[in-house]
Amino acid sequence: MGRGSHGCSVLGSSLLLLFCLGSAAAQKASTWKTLSGDSPLVIAKGGFSGLFPDSSEFAYRSAPGAALWCDVQLTKDGAGICLPTINIDNCTTISNFDPKGMKTYNVNGAPLKGWFPVDYNSTELLQQVFLKQSILSRTVRFDPLPIVPVEDVLSKYKTPAVWLNVQHDSFYSQFKLSMRSYILSVSKQFVVDYISSPEVNFLNSLLGRVNKKTKLVFRFLDEQTIEPSANQTYGSILKNLTFIKTFASGILVPKQYILPVTKDNYLQPHTSVVDDAHKAGLEIYAADFANDFLISYNYSYDPLAEYLSFIDNGAFSVDGVLTDFPITPSEAIGCFSNLNDSKTDHAKPLVISHNGASGDYPDCTDLAYQKAVADGADVIDCPVQVTKDGIPICMSSIDLGDVTTVATSQFASQTTVVNDIKATPGVYSFNLTWEDISKNLKPKISNPMSKYQLYRNPRNRNAGNFMRLSDFLDFTKGKDLSGVMISIERAAFMAQKLGFGVVDAVIKALDDSGYSKQTTQKVMIQSTNSSVLVKFKQQTKYNLVYMIEEDVRDAAPSSIADIKKFADAVSVNTMSVYPATDNFLTNQTTSLVQSLQSAGFPVYVYVLMNEFVSQPYDFFSDATQQINAYVKRPDGGVDGVITDFPATAHRYKLNSCMNMGNNTPGFMIPAQPGGLIESMVGAAQPPSTAPLPPLTESDVTESPLPDVNNNAKAPASSHAAIRVRTDVSAVLVTLMLCTSLMI
């Protein structure tokens, strides 16, 4: 019997439409370093199990371009069903159906407590027990869903291949259930492309009894685990691949067999296992891929980069990958392979760093800027703060506690409350001199997703050197950059409370560095304050970028007219382009990008991050999918992205599927807002949210910047008050000791 070709008929959602419009990978003319020379196989573990419950109909129907993986389990009456584990408590509602059904059985020589499929007949499981999401960090809004029979996977879903995995043949034999007989039976009725097992005897029992086109694959478990029939560790068996070749055509190994990692999660050099397998005539497949699992820090939270390291590293390619997120390896194979020598830069989007490559190194350090340039950023940025001695520096936060080690330094006691900034104490850049900061403090990497226990590049958490604005401008000259962006906030506070004219100081630094006299690199000035940009427009011809802080759905014509008086481009936040609720994109219409672009403004979106928890589920825990959605948005894509990870955005610009028009493969079609929510049943949908407001003229209009207060006293730390006076030509710093220090 053949497989169904109606893989898009059941859900009827825009999500499924996305996958079904073009699920075939874009074709590559080059030869792969796989055993056959063909492109690697994408194997969807339980379907698209990174989003939907593993082995559910939703999951299987959402991965039509991938081979469908089914973990075969047997029921009490010998029926085959697809369930990810033999203990079915975590992945089903079995404990609700049979609260007292917990038992303890011997599984691979060890006792295992739980609920097992062998205790229930197929009618009970298929009609009264339902699948649920088994990984706690994933959404449960698609639960519950029916359990799927093996025969359905073999016949109903559109797929290039079906892969049956038999994990526990010896367990079922205890109950006089023959997994071998079941597999042979379905092999006679349906096309089974792959059968895998970690048990040597089971695969040997199938040899010569299944279709000649069916590939038998030996699955390796942890190297120290003992294979039951051979009574050897899997690590020992790995050394005898010629033995495996006698009963199998391939091997499936944990990805760490190929690219091991250190205890602190950094990559080690690759092993020879891929070459060894190919020399033995064995295909080799890598397992354990999931976009929402912690991957090596070397990948900078970019799952696409991880897949490419297994299929397109110049040295070898695995023959396939087993993944919970089939969309990402599909895009890796179809659109992002063989790009190392590509000179094709599709121009859009403009890649603007956010505090340098701050996803890999501490914000605004020399290392962060060096990596941003090396990673292909078009524009690198410097957010300006001021020191106690009136020196403009590049620092992402005015509070040194956010981005330096000041809390553990000799300056830790110099805290003060500045209500104009925040209500809690801090040690601010204007509390310390440049020498205090540069010689006594270390940078501290930003970890915006630390509440989820996701940390950036721990080995380099304090690496790099701080940079003055003048250092930054000296560094950027002559680099392969289209421009620099200088961000200015709290200019009014600096003028009134610190006596520091930040606009004048920035203009002077640009003049001193020669930027005002060159046209090779564009100078961009960004601010959320229109008053700052108005003053720059009065005194310079730099490119001025207005940053909209508010979440807005559109901009009133009067507000756009006001912005045109002082700005050349606009930055908007991610929520204003794609509103979300409970981490799902809504179908709420936003016209902000179109309205701004119609008025002649390039639009940049901020801030993009690679950590999967920063992205709505609609982007499939894949930063590349997120970028694609913003750039290829049907109602108007953004012109640039402001990102902590310039490498990911730059690689996107090189992809070979960028301009394929109607031939764009399904995995590169932008997410449709509301698509996932539409797939949910009734009460499972997140609560609806009120429409975002429009941007109004009153949101934009500000009073002019105040004159610099030459008599200002900076907010005092516990030991000192500071007076800073700045004009275009000079900086005067006066330190006044407190009475307590004079006594």
Side-chain angles (χ1 to χ4, degrees), residues 73-94:
Q73 313 294 347
L74 295 180
T75 64
K76 188 176 184 177
D77 51 344
I81 55 176
C82 298
L83 288 172
T85 56
I86 198 167
N87 178 358
I88 63 175
D89 182 27
N90 283 342
C91 62
T92 73
T93 60
I94 188 65

PDB file of all heavy atoms in Angstrom, residues 73-94:
ATOM      1  N   GLN A  73       5.845   1.004  19.827  1.00  0.00           N
ATOM      2  CA  GLN A  73       5.518   0.309  21.071  1.00  0.00           C
ATOM      3  C   GLN A  73       4.377  -0.664  20.780  1.00  0.00           C
ATOM      4  O   GLN A  73       3.599  -0.457  19.832  1.00  0.00           O
ATOM      5  CB  GLN A  73       5.093   1.297  22.167  1.00  0.00           C
ATOM      6  CG  GLN A  73       5.975   2.507  22.340  1.00  0.00           C
ATOM      7  CD  GLN A  73       7.387   2.198  22.835  1.00  0.00           C
ATOM      8  OE1 GLN A  73       7.658   1.079  23.296  1.00  0.00           O
ATOM      9  NE2 GLN A  73       8.293   3.168  22.728  1.00  0.00           N
ATOM     10  N   LEU A  74       4.280  -1.725  21.565  1.00  0.00           N
ATOM     11  CA  LEU A  74       3.220  -2.716  21.386  1.00  0.00           C
ATOM     12  C   LEU A  74       2.238  -2.670  22.547  1.00  0.00           C
ATOM     13  O   LEU A  74       2.622  -2.494  23.706  1.00  0.00           O
ATOM     14  CB  LEU A  74       3.812  -4.123  21.274  1.00  0.00           C
ATOM     15  CG  LEU A  74       4.696  -4.402  20.051  1.00  0.00           C
ATOM     16  CD1 LEU A  74       5.201  -5.851  20.075  1.00  0.00           C
ATOM     17  CD2 LEU A  74       3.938  -4.135  18.752  1.00  0.00           C
ATOM     18  N   THR A  75       0.965  -2.835  22.206  1.00  0.00           N
ATOM     19  CA  THR A  75      -0.081  -2.880  23.225  1.00  0.00           C
ATOM     20  C   THR A  75      -0.276  -4.313  23.716  1.00  0.00           C
ATOM     21  O   THR A  75       0.324  -5.261  23.190  1.00  0.00           O
ATOM     22  CB  THR A  75      -1.402  -2.353  22.654  1.00  0.00           C
ATOM     23  OG1 THR A  75      -1.833  -3.239  21.604  1.00  0.00           O
ATOM     24  CG2 THR A  75      -1.227  -0.948  22.084  1.00  0.00           C
ATOM     25  N   LYS A  76      -1.145  -4.447  24.693  1.00  0.00           N
ATOM     26  CA  LYS A  76      -1.425  -5.762  25.275  1.00  0.00           C
ATOM     27  C   LYS A  76      -1.926  -6.758  24.233  1.00  0.00           C
ATOM     28  O   LYS A  76      -1.627  -7.967  24.309  1.00  0.00           O
ATOM     29  CB  LYS A  76      -2.471  -5.584  26.384  1.00  0.00           C
ATOM     30  CG  LYS A  76      -2.746  -6.803  27.229  1.00  0.00           C
ATOM     31  CD  LYS A  76      -3.720  -6.431  28.347  1.00  0.00           C
ATOM     32  CE  LYS A  76      -3.953  -7.589  29.296  1.00  0.00           C
ATOM     33  NZ  LYS A  76      -4.852  -7.191  30.427  1.00  0.00           N
ATOM     34  N   ASP A  77      -2.654  -6.253  23.243  1.00  0.00           N
ATOM     35  CA  ASP A  77      -3.187  -7.133  22.201  1.00  0.00           C
ATOM     36  C   ASP A  77      -2.335  -7.130  20.933  1.00  0.00           C
ATOM     37  O   ASP A  77      -2.792  -7.524  19.859  1.00  0.00           O
ATOM     38  CB  ASP A  77      -4.631  -6.771  21.875  1.00  0.00           C
ATOM     39  CG  ASP A  77      -4.836  -5.296  21.573  1.00  0.00           C
ATOM     40  OD1 ASP A  77      -3.942  -4.496  21.909  1.00  0.00           O
ATOM     41  OD2 ASP A  77      -5.890  -4.940  21.014  1.00  0.00           O
ATOM     42  N   GLY A  78      -1.081  -6.643  21.043  1.00  0.00           N
ATOM     43  CA  GLY A  78      -0.132  -6.771  19.950  1.00  0.00           C
ATOM     44  C   GLY A  78      -0.235  -5.728  18.863  1.00  0.00           C
ATOM     45  O   GLY A  78       0.399  -5.874  17.808  1.00  0.00           O
ATOM     46  N   ALA A  79      -0.993  -4.669  19.087  1.00  0.00           N
ATOM     47  CA  ALA A  79      -1.076  -3.600  18.094  1.00  0.00           C
ATOM     48  C   ALA A  79       0.130  -2.679  18.224  1.00  0.00           C
ATOM     49  O   ALA A  79       0.683  -2.496  19.316  1.00  0.00           O
ATOM     50  CB  ALA A  79      -2.366  -2.806  18.270  1.00  0.00           C
ATOM     51  N   GLY A  80       0.520  -2.066  17.109  1.00  0.00           N
ATOM     52  CA  GLY A  80       1.655  -1.154  17.123  1.00  0.00           C
ATOM     53  C   GLY A  80       1.196   0.295  17.193  1.00  0.00           C
ATOM     54  O   GLY A  80       0.321   0.720  16.427  1.00  0.00           O
ATOM     55  N   ILE A  81       1.776   1.056  18.101  1.00  0.00           N
ATOM     56  CA  ILE A  81       1.468   2.478  18.226  1.00  0.00           C
ATOM     57  C   ILE A  81       2.782   3.248  18.311  1.00  0.00           C
ATOM     58  O   ILE A  81       3.837   2.684  18.627  1.00  0.00           O
ATOM     59  CB  ILE A  81       0.602   2.775  19.477  1.00  0.00           C
ATOM     60  CG1 ILE A  81       1.279   2.233  20.744  1.00  0.00           C
ATOM     61  CG2 ILE A  81      -0.791   2.202  19.322  1.00  0.00           C
ATOM     62  CD1 ILE A  81       0.545   2.558  22.036  1.00  0.00           C
ATOM     63  N   CYS A  82       2.708   4.536  17.999  1.00  0.00           N
ATOM     64  CA  CYS A  82       3.899   5.380  18.052  1.00  0.00           C
ATOM     65  C   CYS A  82       3.884   6.182  19.353  1.00  0.00           C
ATOM     66  O   CYS A  82       3.002   7.028  19.558  1.00  0.00           O
ATOM     67  CB  CYS A  82       3.944   6.332  16.864  1.00  0.00           C
ATOM     68  SG  CYS A  82       4.036   5.510  15.257  1.00  0.00           S
ATOM     69  N   LEU A  83       4.850   5.916  20.216  1.00  0.00           N
ATOM     70  CA  LEU A  83       5.011   6.649  21.471  1.00  0.00           C
ATOM     71  C   LEU A  83       6.508   6.804  21.730  1.00  0.00           C
ATOM     72  O   LEU A  83       7.274   5.853  21.534  1.00  0.00           O
ATOM     73  CB  LEU A  83       4.365   5.908  22.640  1.00  0.00           C
ATOM     74  CG  LEU A  83       2.828   5.883  22.681  1.00  0.00           C
ATOM     75  CD1 LEU A  83       2.341   4.956  23.786  1.00  0.00           C
ATOM     76  CD2 LEU A  83       2.277   7.283  22.894  1.00  0.00           C
ATOM     77  N   PRO A  84       6.955   7.975  22.197  1.00  0.00           N
ATOM     78  CA  PRO A  84       8.404   8.228  22.288  1.00  0.00           C
ATOM     79  C   PRO A  84       9.134   7.418  23.338  1.00  0.00           C
ATOM     80  O   PRO A  84      10.341   7.219  23.221  1.00  0.00           O
ATOM     81  CB  PRO A  84       8.478   9.727  22.598  1.00  0.00           C
ATOM     82  CG  PRO A  84       7.159  10.065  23.211  1.00  0.00           C
ATOM     83  CD  PRO A  84       6.165   9.177  22.531  1.00  0.00           C
ATOM     84  N   THR A  85       8.427   6.937  24.380  1.00  0.00           N
ATOM     85  CA  THR A  85       9.104   6.192  25.444  1.00  0.00           C
ATOM     86  C   THR A  85       8.260   5.004  25.868  1.00  0.00           C
ATOM     87  O   THR A  85       7.032   4.993  25.708  1.00  0.00           O
ATOM     88  CB  THR A  85       9.357   7.083  26.680  1.00  0.00           C
ATOM     89  OG1 THR A  85       8.103   7.629  27.124  1.00  0.00           O
ATOM     90  CG2 THR A  85      10.316   8.221  26.346  1.00  0.00           C
ATOM     91  N   ILE A  86       8.914   4.023  26.449  1.00  0.00           N
ATOM     92  CA  ILE A  86       8.205   2.825  26.896  1.00  0.00           C
ATOM     93  C   ILE A  86       7.419   3.083  28.173  1.00  0.00           C
ATOM     94  O   ILE A  86       6.392   2.461  28.427  1.00  0.00           O
ATOM     95  CB  ILE A  86       9.188   1.649  27.059  1.00  0.00           C
ATOM     96  CG1 ILE A  86       8.419   0.331  27.086  1.00  0.00           C
ATOM     97  CG2 ILE A  86      10.071   1.827  28.294  1.00  0.00           C
ATOM     98  CD1 ILE A  86       9.302  -0.884  26.930  1.00  0.00           C
ATOM     99  N   ASN A  87       7.900   4.005  29.012  1.00  0.00           N
ATOM    100  CA  ASN A  87       7.124   4.488  30.149  1.00  0.00           C
ATOM    101  C   ASN A  87       6.286   5.649  29.630  1.00  0.00           C
ATOM    102  O   ASN A  87       6.807   6.725  29.339  1.00  0.00           O
ATOM    103  CB  ASN A  87       8.047   4.945  31.277  1.00  0.00           C
ATOM    104  CG  ASN A  87       7.289   5.494  32.467  1.00  0.00           C
ATOM    105  OD1 ASN A  87       6.060   5.577  32.463  1.00  0.00           O
ATOM    106  ND2 ASN A  87       8.016   5.879  33.504  1.00  0.00           N
ATOM    107  N   ILE A  88       4.995   5.434  29.498  1.00  0.00           N
ATOM    108  CA  ILE A  88       4.170   6.381  28.748  1.00  0.00           C
ATOM    109  C   ILE A  88       3.505   7.439  29.632  1.00  0.00           C
ATOM    110  O   ILE A  88       2.637   8.190  29.159  1.00  0.00           O
ATOM    111  CB  ILE A  88       3.106   5.632  27.926  1.00  0.00           C
ATOM    112  CG1 ILE A  88       2.131   4.873  28.839  1.00  0.00           C
ATOM    113  CG2 ILE A  88       3.795   4.684  26.951  1.00  0.00           C
ATOM    114  CD1 ILE A  88       0.982   4.208  28.064  1.00  0.00           C
ATOM    115  N   ASP A  89       3.921   7.558  30.874  1.00  0.00           N
ATOM    116  CA  ASP A  89       3.289   8.524  31.778  1.00  0.00           C
ATOM    117  C   ASP A  89       3.523   9.965  31.337  1.00  0.00           C
ATOM    118  O   ASP A  89       2.594  10.767  31.246  1.00  0.00           O
ATOM    119  CB  ASP A  89       3.810   8.313  33.210  1.00  0.00           C
ATOM    120  CG  ASP A  89       3.150   9.249  34.205  1.00  0.00           C
ATOM    121  OD1 ASP A  89       2.004   9.666  33.956  1.00  0.00           O
ATOM    122  OD2 ASP A  89       3.773   9.567  35.233  1.00  0.00           O
ATOM    123  N   ASN A  90       4.793  10.312  31.052  1.00  0.00           N
ATOM    124  CA  ASN A  90       5.104  11.701  30.718  1.00  0.00           C
ATOM    125  C   ASN A  90       4.522  12.147  29.387  1.00  0.00           C
ATOM    126  O   ASN A  90       4.265  13.332  29.185  1.00  0.00           O
ATOM    127  CB  ASN A  90       6.621  11.919  30.692  1.00  0.00           C
ATOM    128  CG  ASN A  90       7.202  12.027  32.083  1.00  0.00           C
ATOM    129  OD1 ASN A  90       6.475  12.265  33.038  1.00  0.00           O
ATOM    130  ND2 ASN A  90       8.506  11.833  32.195  1.00  0.00           N
ATOM    131  N   CYS A  91       4.328  11.238  28.474  1.00  0.00           N
ATOM    132  CA  CYS A  91       3.907  11.626  27.127  1.00  0.00           C
ATOM    133  C   CYS A  91       2.427  11.390  26.849  1.00  0.00           C
ATOM    134  O   CYS A  91       1.950  11.699  25.752  1.00  0.00           O
ATOM    135  CB  CYS A  91       4.761  10.920  26.072  1.00  0.00           C
ATOM    136  SG  CYS A  91       4.633   9.123  26.105  1.00  0.00           S
ATOM    137  N   THR A  92       1.692  10.839  27.808  1.00  0.00           N
ATOM    138  CA  THR A  92       0.263  10.603  27.607  1.00  0.00           C
ATOM    139  C   THR A  92      -0.521  10.939  28.879  1.00  0.00           C
ATOM    140  O   THR A  92       0.053  11.236  29.930  1.00  0.00           O
ATOM    141  CB  THR A  92      -0.040   9.129  27.246  1.00  0.00           C
ATOM    142  OG1 THR A  92       0.133   8.312  28.425  1.00  0.00           O
ATOM    143  CG2 THR A  92       0.872   8.621  26.136  1.00  0.00           C
ATOM    144  N   THR A  93      -1.832  10.831  28.763  1.00  0.00           N
ATOM    145  CA  THR A  93      -2.730  11.054  29.911  1.00  0.00           C
ATOM    146  C   THR A  93      -3.069   9.748  30.616  1.00  0.00           C
ATOM    147  O   THR A  93      -4.099   9.637  31.277  1.00  0.00           O
ATOM    148  CB  THR A  93      -4.025  11.722  29.434  1.00  0.00           C
ATOM    149  OG1 THR A  93      -4.678  10.872  28.474  1.00  0.00           O
ATOM    150  CG2 THR A  93      -3.743  13.077  28.804  1.00  0.00           C
ATOM    151  N   ILE A  94      -2.206   8.752  30.503  1.00  0.00           N
ATOM    152  CA  ILE A  94      -2.505   7.420  31.037  1.00  0.00           C
ATOM    153  C   ILE A  94      -2.776   7.431  32.533  1.00  0.00           C
ATOM    154  O   ILE A  94      -3.638   6.683  33.027  1.00  0.00           O
ATOM    155  CB  ILE A  94      -1.350   6.438  30.700  1.00  0.00           C
ATOM    156  CG1 ILE A  94      -1.715   4.997  31.066  1.00  0.00           C
ATOM    157  CG2 ILE A  94      -0.068   6.856  31.385  1.00  0.00           C
ATOM    158  CD1 ILE A  94      -2.848   4.425  30.259  1.00  0.00           C
TER     159      ILE A  94
END
